[in-house]
Amino acid sequence: MSKIILTGDRPTGRLHIGHYVGSLRRRVELQNSGEYDKTYIMIADAQALTDNIDDPEKVRQNVIEVALDYLACGLDPAKSTLFIQSQISELCELTFYYMDLVTVSRLQRNPTVKNEIQLRNFEASIPVGFFTYPISQAADITFCKATTVPVGEDQLPMIEQTKEIVHKFNSIYAPDDPVLVDPQALIPEDDACKRLPGTDGKAKMSKSLGNCIYLADTADEVRTKVMSMYTDPLHLQVSDPGHLEGNTVFTYLEAFAKDEHFERYLPEYANLDELKAHYTKGGLGDVKVKKLLNNILQEELEPIRNRRAEFAKDIPEIYNILKKGSETAREAAGQTLSEVKRAMKIDYFEDMELIKAQSEKYSK
Ligand code: ATP
Ligand code: MG
């Protein structure tokens, strides 16, 4: 069986270091590993519209921002298909058919949707499109028969929902010859990367919460954000013992620091464990730790920022890449949709057996 990657992001803002450690960094490694037959990367504009109905311009503007972030991080259109969700109308058809396989109460139980409804203050006025987006996400994952979906931890309930749809579809419509492929989520092994917190210490760095370090931030912006980050409210004096739990600066170090960084920037410590030990014992100030984090982030982000600026010199070419990618994705979606329709017995004009049988019935 082919090994196929599908993943994506909502164009609700530029991408941030949470996206980077949660999914983007991994995607680039997988793309370059040569182990996958195809890689599809989707800009989920239609999904972004489900909770940004009154701000289509925001979504429109951010499509190119996300595409630039992709290219800057090393996603390569020669190896990966970069495409825009709304351009693949087959996804709507798949979603419509998958809706028959999911109950309202199942959607209501989805913890990510519950959480997001709360976050957006939707309460009783949830748009139906938003409520049902886990179903449309199943269409996104299955249209290309994805086997592997590299995502952050918050997406696990979505993959679970997709798996249920795949199993139900295959068992009802294609029991002998499965049409849809069961996808596996690939979440980061490191806890810090599964759900990177915001610079304000909130549970998740998120475009919608304004607590992000963006991949495109300037060196000064990164420094300012790092230096004002949330640490340990009980660590008032340098000599006080510090706490690591909920200390965002240390969480970011978990996600980014390697031993070689200590050699370069803080040679009195061999690695992060030694730094942590000193911090918890007392005698290590937040400023020193923040300066280390700043150095590490600058080192990681500078090449990304520079590549982004290079790609931004030819914006028409970026649209061209997305257009070509969308055409490729559409071909795959068309193929899967026709298999789905055949399995569901709604392929009337292609089914010669059906036409023959009906004619025989009426010629008797
Ligand atoms: P929005 O607030 O509009 O939902 P978002 O910042 O949550 O935006 P998405 O486009 O929903 O970003 O998510 C894209 C991918 O990045 C998903 O795989 C998601 O799991 C991952 N991701 C997003 N935020 C984080 C984070 N803070 N830590 C790790 N992974 C993340
Ligand atoms: Mg999100």
Side-chain angles (χ1 to χ4, degrees):
M1 192 173 71
S2 302
K3 286 173 81 181
I4 298 175
I5 295 171
L6 175 285
T7 187
D9 307 271
R10 294 150 43 90
T12 48
R14 283 180 282 146
L15 299 183
H16 52 64
I17 60 171
H19 298 117
Y20 186 67
V21 299
S23 166
L24 213 41
R25 188 163 65 177
R26 188 69 159 296
R27 292 177 206 176
V28 176
E29 281 167 22
L30 297 175
Q31 167 201 267
N32 295 336
S33 71
E35 281 177 28
Y36 289 82
D37 298 289
K38 284 193 186 112
T39 301
Y40 291 92
I41 310 287
M42 181 182 80
I43 302 183
D45 61 336
Q47 190 194 110
L49 284 168
T50 63
D51 59 326
N52 288 280
I53 326 135
D54 42 11
D55 203 354
E57 196 54 39
K58 173 170 117 184
V59 174
R60 183 182 178 82
Q61 295 294 331
N62 279 307
V63 167
I64 204 76
E65 300 295 334
V66 170
L68 283 170
D69 287 328
Y70 283 167
L71 296 166
C73 286
L75 287 174
D76 176 357
K79 297 179 185 160
S80 294
T81 301
L82 310 182
F83 71 99
I84 307 180
Q85 184 187 28
S86 62
Q87 303 309 297
I88 322 298
S89 49
E90 288 80 359
L91 293 176
C92 301
E93 282 190 65
L94 289 174
T95 304
F96 185 68
Y97 297 130
Y98 295 169
M99 280 183 176
D100 299 337
L101 306 172
V102 182
T103 63
V104 170
S105 66
R106 175 65 184 89
L107 286 176
Q108 279 166 335
R109 278 202 311 276
N110 184 313
T112 305
V113 175
K114 261 194 202 166
N115 196 0
E116 288 178 335
I117 285 172
Q118 222 176 16
L119 204 74
R120 288 161 177 76
N121 288 325
F122 276 153
E123 284 148 17
S125 56
I126 315 161
V128 173
F130 183 81
F131 183 61
T132 55
Y133 92 75
I135 305 177
S136 105
Q137 222 166 298
D140 303 335
I141 295 171
T142 54
F143 90 84
C144 59
K145 308 208 167 169
T147 50
T148 312
V149 190
V151 282
E153 194 182 39
D154 64 315
Q155 292 301 307
L156 282 180
M158 304 301 161
I159 315 289
E160 208 39 56
Q161 178 71 79
T162 299
K163 283 165 142 331
E164 282 174 32
I165 290 174
V166 167
H167 295 163
K168 199 153 185 194
F169 184 95
N170 285 339
S171 71
I172 295 174
Y173 297 120
D176 303 325
D177 189 12
V179 168
L180 300 181
V181 171
D182 195 15
Q184 301 304 321
L186 202 62
I187 60 165
E189 279 122 44
D190 194 309
D191 275 344
C193 302
K194 285 182 180 147
R195 189 181 300 238
L196 198 76
T199 48
D200 54 359
K202 286 215 178 94
K204 182 173 172 277
M205 179 174 285
S206 167
K207 303 178 212 113
S208 314
L209 296 175
N211 55 7
C212 308
I213 295 178
Y214 293 100
L215 296 174
D217 277 348
T218 63
D220 280 346
E221 284 166 334
V222 173
R223 189 176 310 108
T224 309
K225 287 181 184 178
V226 170
M227 294 320 280
S228 55
M229 262 173 77
Y230 180 87
T231 54
D232 170 14
L234 302 171
H235 189 230
L236 299 172
Q237 313 266 357
V238 172
S239 55
D240 290 339
H243 299 85
L244 300 173
E245 205 175 312
N247 189 324
T248 318
V249 175
F250 277 94
T251 314
Y252 287 14
L253 284 173
E254 290 279 358
F256 286 96
K258 300 185 194 117
D259 292 356
E260 65 192 62
H261 290 133
F262 285 86
E263 233 169 86
R264 270 201 286 288
Y265 303 118
L266 218 50
E268 60 262 49
Y269 304 93
N271 52 37
L272 186 56
D273 288 339
E274 286 190 17
L275 189 79
K276 282 182 182 169
H278 190 185
Y279 190 79
T280 47
K281 194 167 90 192
L284 175 59
D286 283 335
V287 172
K288 196 166 173 180
V289 186
K290 284 180 173 177
K291 279 190 175 154
L292 170 69
L293 176 62
N294 177 57
N295 281 326
I296 295 174
L297 285 182
Q298 299 290 356
E299 185 183 316
E300 186 98 17
L301 296 180
E302 192 189 305
I304 296 178
R305 192 186 302 129
N306 293 344
R307 276 199 300 269
R308 200 181 195 278
E310 274 307 305
F311 282 113
K313 288 180 182 160
D314 191 358
I315 294 294
E317 175 54 17
I318 314 287
Y319 280 108
N320 206 16
I321 290 170
L322 295 174
K323 186 167 177 238
K324 280 202 198 128
S326 300
E327 283 160 10
T328 307
R330 226 179 147 189
E331 271 172 41
Q335 172 65 32
T336 302
L337 181 63
S338 63
E339 289 172 35
V340 159
K341 289 172 97 168
R342 194 177 319 130
M344 292 180 72
K345 302 197 176 295
I346 50 174
D347 61 335
Y348 311 105
F349 311 129
E350 273 90 62
D351 188 351
M352 291 310 141
E353 289 291 307
L354 169 76
I355 299 171
K356 200 168 136 222
Q358 294 292 8
S359 339
E360 277 168 9
K361 188 167 96 190
Y362 278 95
S363 62
K364 276 178 196 154

